[in-house]
Amino acid sequence: MSAVLLERDQILDQMRAALAQTQSRLGRTLLVSGEAGIGKSTLVDYFMQEQGLNCRVLWGACDALFTPRPLGPLLDMAGQLDAAVARAIRSGDNAGAIFAAFLADLAESARPSIVLFEDVHWADHATLDLIKYLGRRISRVPALLVLTYRDDELSVGHPLLAVLGELPCAHVQRLRLSPLSRQAVQELAQRSGSNLADLFEKTNGNPFYVTEVLASRGQVVPRTVQDAVLARLQRLSAASIALCERVSALPGQAELTLISQWPGHQADDFEAAIDECVRAGMLQIHGQALRFRHELARLAVHGMLPPQRKRTLHGEALSVWLRDPCVTNAQLVYHALQAGQVDTVLRMAPLAGADAARLGAHREAAAHFAVALQHAQNAPLQIQAELNEAWSYEAGLALQIDEQVIAARERAIALWRQLGNAERLGLNLRWLSRLHWYLGHKKQAHRYAVQAIEVLESIAPTAELAMAYSVRSQMYMLNSNYESALMWGERALQLALAQGAPEARIHALNNLGSTLLMSGRPGGEALLKESLALAMAGDFHEQAARAYTNLSSSMILQCRFADAERFCREGLAFDREHDLDSWTYYLLGLCAQLAAEQGHFAQAQTLAREALAIPSQTPVMRWPPSLALGIARSRAGAVDALAILEECLATGLAVGEAQLILPTCRALAEAHWLRGQTEQARSVVTQGWEHRGPADDPWLTGQLMVWGHRLGLALDPGAPVAAVYQMEMTGQALLAARQWEALGAPFEQALCLMRCGDEGLQQAIELFAQQGAHPALELARAQARKQGVRGIKRGPYAAARDNSLGLTARELQIYQLIAGGLSNEEISRKLNRSVRTIEHHVSNVLSKMGVKNRVELRVTQTPFRSA
């Protein structure tokens, strides 16, 4: 083994074992991590060279650009892939088509593939989406996906952490590289003939630092890696130093053909300089490209250059790169910025932004448009308007909806108004309305929706006007103004059909269906399903996600839990398949609500926390999981439940929608009642009742009204409420309890049974105990003591459940721990078993349960309770 691979035998054996599984078409993902200079690249290079005769090796890297290239690793390996993948990239296909073509290439390869993405801590959003896409499907293809990254540079909230956390654990192996031991460092020093006594202390066993120090041939250990690299550089000829300086201006690698076109290039000096740099260990030849042995070395060389020398090098690189169609717009923007060429930045940054947006790299797209805006003060007004509009859209999609996003829309509106472009003005007013809604600004949202329609009605009818009508319908629907929602929805639908606007048609059908469902009228579910089918057929992914979300929320509200489970399961699968993260986590919040209503409080809390862990969510997006978390923790007796629910109510009041306010007030009333705070509970019910919409929803109204009845408040709905609530309020508590049992809502069933005499009270106590609903259990026991009920059992009750899925006793135990949200490492410590043993058990559990990962298991399955 090479000296630089000291103490890496065990990790190499794990990599070989993972590769061997691909022979059976069981792909895996290897996560190779460690600090900068720890030897990640050296390790994977060694592995790929070792396996190159038996496997197809595909290499790609993420570059340390200000704004990374979208799909940079895939672009690096495009020349080795099937022609279909190259065509998909060149033809401007969307990310989904490119991903599918790449996966098909891996599946159809005659030999197993090693797919290496280096330095994914610098990955753009599209590459992260590709990692997620491949990681979820890697087990189906004969390929080993190897990802290297610096784990010490992943701060809280880094997007890579979220992606790695979503990969199916059964097919992921983490390999973290440690520094070399003192003995290994001494062995390297002896081989080089050095006697630097403090080498280990100064380098902390970092392999790159060690080898740079030894190569510098100094008598003392340089203070920094940069000093060690520069000491090596100074021993080179002038031509070789110039070559290193040029390559240092090019993050990643430098194609030899492009370097050979550099201004002032001398062919004879070029060949000799390459040879000298390679012999000295400064540069490596990688295929048809040159690169530094490590990014730290490149940064060290580039960092020592004077500012003007840097600008000159980047300007020269730009002059060559502009002539090459294979160089990406993102690379051109990087060099134009470094060279200070403002006109080129303004010309290329919007193109780079459009490239990134097409591939789903919305964070990078927003960054490119932001760069263009910084240099657009003197640009034509139309360009300024387009840039503000584009940046606002991309920044919003990247989950960064804030006042800056709104300000950009407002600037675009002012510019389009100045230019007299009514259609673009109307479009931006509609988007401004939607942004204010996301932030909970009800009045502004309504005002801009009205303005959008006024502007668009001043010109000939367009598809944009149909969408503006539909958005108006949506706002009325969300505010429980059902008649207006139906009127505007019908108007939107008719215009969409006349204009041939499929997305506006789908959006309008969704509004109409949701309105009919919420108002208890027939035909709503059919229209929502029609909207879903059209969205699926037309590849309107976000509209399909919206249909799944509205179907799920409606089914949960109406206690149709079997249907809710189906739509949640299908919706989550669809959202994940198309990497619709914001919709995924909103729907995950609804799944948490479903679990809470079914009495699975631990599961509800786990799902809710997962949904809330995603940063940069608006208050509206946080509401579903927060409500579920508050309900579950309240029923389980947690002290923080009231605070969580108060925050939910603040969101609902800010948005001003009955669909948010009434369920929160119902949950808060219940929470106060559980704590013996009757007056506070009555106050909350009264507050919610005052915020009903213009029309009553049988279920929204009923769930709050029944709490008013329980608390002695006389509330007149003015319209029928759902039958199960009506039963309890008309003295038919036992009938209502039976109905709740049929619906699968044990907590509501138990509440009704508390009103059904001694026998009912005993049953309620058993149900509360089975759910772990401690506050309600104590209230029921106190009521039993007060009524003199005899035979009430003390202590916890356990609900036995048959293990019909063939889990062993150990697997059942691990299943319960997964459902509780524990990681493999936590389970390992709890059960005093090795992590590898736990990983084996977890893999078996996931396989027997028929799910791909832990999240899907917790969403789609009900946790077992111990017998």
Side-chain angles (χ1 to χ4, degrees), residues 254-271:
E255 298 294 330
L256 288 169
T257 54
L258 294 176
I259 288 285
S260 66
Q261 300 173 41
W262 205 282
H265 168 74
Q266 298 293 328
D268 294 338
D269 290 346
F270 182 56
E271 298 295 335

Side-chain angles (χ1 to χ4, degrees), residues 658-699:
Q659 66 157 351
L660 304 185
I661 297 172
L662 269 63
T664 308
C665 286
R666 165 252 188 170
L668 262 174
E670 177 187 290
H672 283 301
W673 175 79
L674 288 172
R675 287 152 183 78
Q677 301 166 350
T678 305
E679 287 308 314
Q680 292 94 322
R682 287 176 179 148
S683 175
V684 169
V685 170
T686 301
Q687 183 181 17
W689 199 251
E690 292 171 351
H691 285 86
R692 288 180 301 149
D696 285 321
D697 179 311
W699 287 92

Side-chain angles (χ1 to χ4, degrees), residues 708-823:
H709 173 75
R710 291 165 183 168
L711 295 166
L713 296 174
L715 304 175
D716 180 12
V721 297
V724 68
Y725 297 123
Q726 189 66 35
M727 291 173 189
E728 181 178 350
M729 291 186 293
T730 55
Q732 304 176 75
L734 182 58
L735 192 59
R738 290 172 180 167
Q739 181 67 20
W740 283 122
E741 182 180 17
L743 291 170
F747 191 85
E748 292 292 343
Q749 178 190 355
L751 288 177
C752 289
L753 285 170
M754 289 179 68
R755 297 168 172 265
C756 297
D758 292 357
E759 184 178 348
L761 192 54
Q762 287 181 324
Q763 293 177 28
I765 289 172
E766 291 181 4
L767 283 171
F768 286 139
Q770 289 169 8
Q771 297 170 76
H774 306 299
L777 175 61
E778 291 308 314
L779 286 175
R781 283 177 173 162
Q783 181 178 327
R785 289 193 295 270
K786 184 178 180 180
Q787 294 177 196
V789 179
R790 296 183 179 275
I792 299 298
K793 299 177 183 178
R794 304 193 62 81
Y797 287 76
R801 179 188 177 114
D802 290 337
N803 176 13
S804 59
L805 293 170
L807 298 181
T808 67
R810 176 66 77 187
E811 288 167 353
L812 179 56
Q813 185 180 24
I814 288 174
Y815 180 98
Q816 293 168 324
L817 295 173
I818 295 172
L822 271 66
S823 67

Side-chain angles (χ1 to χ4, degrees), residues 97-113:
I98 295 172
F99 295 175
F102 184 37
L103 187 69
D105 179 282
L106 297 178
E108 296 165 6
S109 175
R111 297 186 297 161
S113 300

Side-chain angles (χ1 to χ4, degrees), residues 373 388 391-393 395-396 399-413 431-442 444-445 447-448 616-619 654:
L373 278 169
N388 276 286
W391 181 84
S392 179
Y393 180 76
L399 293 179
Q400 298 170 358
I401 298 174
D402 55 21
E403 296 301 332
Q404 288 183 311
V405 172
I406 285 180
R409 280 288 175 187
E410 290 173 341
R411 288 192 295 272
I413 286 168
W431 270 107
L432 186 58
S433 168
R434 193 66 180 156
L435 291 172
H436 278 292
W437 179 83
Y438 276 120
L439 291 175
H441 305 159
K442 177 182 178 181
Q444 295 96 318
R447 180 168 71 248
Y448 291 120
S616 305
Q617 296 184 73
T618 66

Side-chain angles (χ1 to χ4, degrees), residues 550-755:
N550 285 3
L551 279 165
S552 299
S553 63
S554 296
M555 298 300 107
I556 293 169
L557 177 64
Q558 297 181 8
C559 302
R560 293 170 54 182
F561 295 149
D563 290 329
E565 286 180 359
R566 176 167 60 87
F567 288 126
C568 282
R569 183 171 58 251
E570 292 177 4
L572 280 172
F574 179 86
D575 293 349
R576 288 199 177 97
E577 179 77 16
H578 296 88
D579 300 310
L580 299 168
D581 289 348
S582 58
W583 289 102
T584 297
Y585 291 106
Y586 192 93
L587 190 52
L588 199 61
L590 293 179
C591 291
Q593 288 186 19
L594 174 60
E597 296 302 331
Q598 292 176 301
H600 308 315
F601 305 141
Q603 181 189 28
Q605 292 179 63
T606 299
L607 294 173
R609 287 196 176 98
E610 246 174 280
L612 290 168
I614 305 305
S616 305
Q617 296 184 73
T618 66
V620 171
M621 293 173 67
R622 292 178 60 84
W623 182 84
S626 295
L627 179 65
L629 185 63
I631 292 172
R633 291 188 65 73
S634 171
R635 292 178 177 178
V639 296
D640 61 349
L642 283 174
I644 296 170
L645 293 171
E646 290 286 359
E647 183 180 345
C648 288
L649 182 56
T651 296
L653 293 173
V655 177
E657 293 177 2
Q659 66 157 351
L660 304 185
I661 297 172
L662 269 63
T664 308
C665 286
R666 165 252 188 170
L668 262 174
E670 177 187 290
H672 283 301
W673 175 79
L674 288 172
R675 287 152 183 78
Q677 301 166 350
T678 305
E679 287 308 314
Q680 292 94 322
R682 287 176 179 148
S683 175
V684 169
V685 170
T686 301
Q687 183 181 17
W689 199 251
E690 292 171 351
H691 285 86
R692 288 180 301 149
D696 285 321
D697 179 311
W699 287 92
L700 272 180
T701 303
Q703 64 179 211
L704 192 61
M705 190 175 180
V706 78
W707 267 105
H709 173 75
R710 291 165 183 168
L711 295 166
L713 296 174
L715 304 175
D716 180 12
V721 297
V724 68
Y725 297 123
Q726 189 66 35
M727 291 173 189
E728 181 178 350
M729 291 186 293
T730 55
Q732 304 176 75
L734 182 58
L735 192 59
R738 290 172 180 167
Q739 181 67 20
W740 283 122
E741 182 180 17
L743 291 170
F747 191 85
E748 292 292 343
Q749 178 190 355
L751 288 177
C752 289
L753 285 170
M754 289 179 68
R755 297 168 172 265

Side-chain angles (χ1 to χ4, degrees), residues 414-465:
L415 289 164
W416 289 123
R417 184 174 278 122
Q418 188 175 347
L419 290 164
N421 189 322
E423 186 168 5
R424 295 295 282 271
L425 174 60
L427 178 148
N428 279 273
L429 285 166
R430 173 172 67 81
W431 270 107
L432 186 58
S433 168
R434 193 66 180 156
L435 291 172
H436 278 292
W437 179 83
Y438 276 120
L439 291 175
H441 305 159
K442 177 182 178 181
K443 292 182 180 179
Q444 295 96 318
H446 179 77
R447 180 168 71 248
Y448 291 120
V450 171
Q451 289 182 18
I453 291 174
E454 290 174 350
V455 168
L456 291 166
E457 284 184 336
S458 69
I459 58 176
T462 62
E464 180 55 42
L465 177 59

